[in-house]
Each structure stands twice: as C-alpha cells, then as structure tokens.
Amino acid sequence: MPTKKKPPVTAASRRAAAAAPARRRELLETAAEVFAEQGYNATTVRKIADHAGMLAGSLYYHFDSKESMLEEILRTFLDELWDGYDTVLDAGLGPRETLEALVTESFREIDRHRAAVAIYQKESKQLVAQERFGFLAESQRRFEKAWLSTLERGVAAHVFRADLDVRLTYRFVRDTVWVAASWYRPGGQHSPEEIARQYLSMVLDGIAVREQPTHSL
C-alpha cells in the first residue's frame, strides 16, 4: 500500500509552530488577569477570549476549558515558587538568613506572577475541594512546614525571641507578604528586592526609633 506523504514543512508552518508556545503564554497571562480581577466563577471562556481579542471557539484550539487554564496558571506559579524556596532551604543558611531569603523570594514571585498570587489567595479555599486542584493543599502544607521550621530553628538558636509564638508569627508573615499582590505592580518605583528589604526591616527591627541609653557622669 502506498504510504501517506507528510505535508511539506514550509517557512509559514515553522513560524506558526514557533509562535504557538508564545501565544499560549500570552493567553494564560490574559486569563490570569481576568480571573484575578473578576473571580474564577464569574469568568467565562468568552470573557477571556474577548480580552485576548479572539473568538471563544479559537481559544479552545489552545485549551479545552477554563479549568485547564487555571490549573496551568497555578501550577506554573507554584512550580517556580518551590524552585526558589527549595534553593533557599537547601543552602544551609542560618534561620535569620533563611527567613530573609524566603521573604525576598516571595516578593520576586509576586513580581513575576502577581495575578496568579491574587487568584491563589482568593480562590484556593474553594478550589482545594476539587480533586483536580489537590496540589494546592499539598503546597500549603509544604509552605507552612518550611516557614514554621525556620522560625522554630531561630528560637532554638536564640536568633529569635524565646517568647515568640511561631505559629502566630508565621500567619502574620504569610498574610502580610502575599497581600502585596493586591497593590504591587511590576515595573513600579520599587523593585521586589527593595520592598523585601523594607519589609524585613520592619518585621525584624520594628518601626519605632530606639532610645539611646543615657550615660551618667
């Protein structure tokens, strides 16, 4: 039997293949912004397509559902977050240096994935009930363990105060860092590293001016 001839690879087909991953990333970025602004339940495929300047049917060429888009957005964010966190945790730093590096990495991730962070904050409690998004609960457990163990290490090493409530401190740090996604805009006046330095200065050193000791003659 004669074999089917493969269609010739043309310059146009090569350009289309090369452009596909870039277009996919653009669509995910658009979807992330729409999910973050309007909420997951209120967002339809048509709304995403409208913001992307295409027909809803054309969006299905790249993704089979809005669920698959959201899953890829969150997995991409969390995979990158854990690449950075694992590098910090494996570096053998002291507890204070580890805390500083984790905070800095967190602000870098907000800079890279601001919309994904906002979605994670708003939607994760609802999403974890779905089997498809079970990876969110696992990430939350890893996240809590990493931060609590760092704080506990610091207390044991007398780097952090002995009376520190580590779980309360963890919640405070977690919430005050990630809420930055609601106001931070990439390309603004301050870099993520600068924001991290200011934040760490307030958390670790406080904001009140320390009184200088008086010396009697």
Side-chain angles (χ1 to χ4, degrees):
M1 292 180 64
T3 57
K4 269 189 173 181
K5 289 185 177 179
K6 292 183 179 179
V9 177
T10 63
S13 64
R14 282 195 295 268
R15 286 195 298 271
R23 180 55 172 160
R24 185 183 181 88
R25 285 193 298 272
E26 289 174 3
L27 293 174
L28 285 172
E29 288 171 2
T30 299
E33 292 293 341
V34 179
F35 286 139
E37 180 182 343
Q38 301 188 14
Y40 175 65
N41 288 332
T43 298
T44 62
V45 171
R46 182 177 295 279
K47 283 184 180 179
I48 297 171
D50 287 345
H51 279 77
M54 63 195 304
L55 297 174
S58 300
L59 194 59
Y60 285 112
Y61 174 79
H62 300 275
F63 306 96
D64 61 11
S65 65
K66 73 171 189 176
E67 288 82 5
S68 65
M69 298 183 78
L70 181 62
E71 181 180 359
E72 188 164 341
I73 290 165
L74 293 175
R75 282 190 183 275
T76 299
F77 155 58
L78 290 174
D79 285 349
E80 189 169 316
L81 174 71
W82 280 107
D83 281 346
Y85 271 21
D86 286 339
T87 298
V88 170
L89 296 170
D90 293 342
L93 302 173
R96 176 169 177 143
E97 292 75 19
T98 299
L99 179 67
E100 291 172 341
L102 288 175
V103 166
T104 302
E105 191 60 38
S106 298
F107 280 110
R108 286 174 180 152
E109 286 307 307
I110 292 172
D111 180 64
R112 298 180 189 117
H113 299 287
R114 185 202 61 81
V117 173
I119 297 166
Y120 183 88
Q121 284 188 298
K122 294 177 185 176
E123 310 285 356
S124 59
K125 285 184 180 179
Q126 173 190 342
L127 292 172
V128 291
Q130 303 179 37
E131 184 178 352
R132 180 171 196 157
F133 295 97
F135 65 91
L136 296 176
E138 175 59 25
S139 181
Q140 288 167 358
R141 286 190 290 270
R142 289 179 65 194
F143 189 87
E144 181 173 315
K145 181 180 178 182
W147 285 84
L148 287 178
S149 63
T150 300
L151 292 168
E152 289 165 353
R153 228 171 17 105
V155 172
H158 306 292
V159 174
F160 303 142
R161 292 192 339 237
D163 64 342
L164 193 70
D165 185 322
V166 293
R167 188 164 291 277
L168 183 61
T169 304
Y170 153 68
R171 289 172 178 165
F172 170 78
V173 172
R174 176 196 64 191
D175 293 347
T176 53
V177 166
W178 293 110
V179 76
S182 65
W183 53 262
Y184 178 80
R185 292 296 179 272
Q189 183 178 357
H190 301 292
S191 71
E193 291 79 13
E194 289 168 345
I195 294 173
R197 281 195 295 271
Q198 287 287 329
Y199 175 84
L200 286 162
S201 175
M202 288 185 284
V203 170
L204 296 173
D205 302 319
I207 62 173
V209 176
R210 294 181 179 180
E211 293 184 5
Q212 297 296 322
T214 57
H215 300 282
S216 56
L217 296 176

